[in-house]
Amino acid sequence: MHKLNEVPKGDIVNPYMINNLSWYSQPGFSRAVLRSNLTRRVNVPIYNDISQTITRTMSYTACQSYTSNVSFSSSYTKDAFTAGVTVGASWSKTFEGSDSINQPIPPKKYSWMEYTPYMDNSWGSMHEEVWSWDGYSNVCLVNKIYFLDVYIARQGNAGLPDGIYKIKESSTKPS
């Protein structure tokens, strides 16, 4: 039995409580979008300096995480996006892996591997709304709405990120 004006221990309200009311509305989601603007070399170029074709083992490593038009600077934004996106909690996962192939290299040529990722794309509106309770009143810390466009890495074979892996050759060294 409690005395009048006594708050039972289990009912104590924590002052300085943060209340996250943020949410993400996803009207669009596309799977396996080829991101040509993210094409990059994933190994050191190998040069054949003799007059015959040689075969060399070409090792390569690729890594891909999500990309976004807005920085996920707060846990509130990440939580709201995780709750609203089609792929859920796995959207921020990074995929990285290595592999090798035996590659014939023509005389006086450089040879290397390029990687272009396939990524899932989510777009929509982020509604960030965060309030603080200081024991006396609610204070709005964040209240904004903006367009969000996020590309999410996909897992391919052997732990490598999903995408196109292409052998390139040139008589000049790639940059």
Side-chain angles (χ1 to χ4, degrees):
M1 178 121 168
H2 302 289
K3 296 179 185 173
L4 192 58
N5 296 328
E6 181 181 295
V7 177
K9 289 185 180 182
D11 296 342
I12 294 176
V13 174
N14 183 9
Y16 311 109
M17 181 176 80
I18 298 292
N19 191 12
N20 179 16
L21 303 176
S22 301
W23 56 281
Y24 174 63
S25 171
Q26 176 186 264
F29 188 84
S30 293
R31 293 202 180 276
V33 176
L34 186 63
R35 300 290 312 278
S36 298
N37 62 324
L38 296 179
T39 298
R40 58 196 178 268
R41 187 168 42 86
V42 291
N43 71 327
V44 174
I46 300 170
Y47 183 66
N48 178 0
D49 62 352
I50 64 174
S51 58
Q52 299 169 345
T53 298
I54 59 171
T55 299
R56 293 287 183 259
T57 300
M58 184 181 292
S59 298
Y60 57 95
T61 299
C63 179
Q64 188 63 55
S65 185
Y66 75 91
T67 63
S68 175
N69 67 322
V70 175
S71 172
F72 284 100
S73 56
S74 73
S75 61
Y76 311 118
T77 310
K78 289 178 185 175
D79 291 346
F81 186 73
T82 299
V85 71
T86 297
V87 295
S90 65
W91 69 268
S92 62
K93 189 166 183 173
T94 298
F95 297 104
E96 180 176 9
S98 297
D99 206 348
S100 61
I101 61 166
N102 289 324
Q103 177 62 30
I105 304 170
K108 307 301 180 192
K109 295 279 187 176
Y110 286 92
S111 186
W112 68 93
M113 176 81 71
E114 280 188 353
Y115 163 66
T116 305
Y118 275 115
M119 302 177 80
D120 293 336
N121 181 213
S122 173
W123 63 91
S125 297
M126 177 61 73
H127 302 259
E128 272 190 86
E129 187 176 349
V130 181
W131 293 79
S132 172
W133 170 253
D134 64 5
Y136 300 100
S137 64
N138 282 311
V139 177
C140 183
L141 301 176
V142 179
N143 189 6
K144 59 185 176 179
I145 299 172
Y146 51 89
F147 175 74
L148 190 58
D149 188 16
V150 180
Y151 286 88
I152 302 156
R154 298 168 47 95
Q155 185 170 11
N157 293 328
L160 288 163
D162 192 10
I164 297 174
Y165 294 82
K166 185 193 281 188
I167 298 292
K168 301 287 280 193
E169 291 178 354
S170 173
S171 0
T172 58
K173 189 174 184 177
S175 53

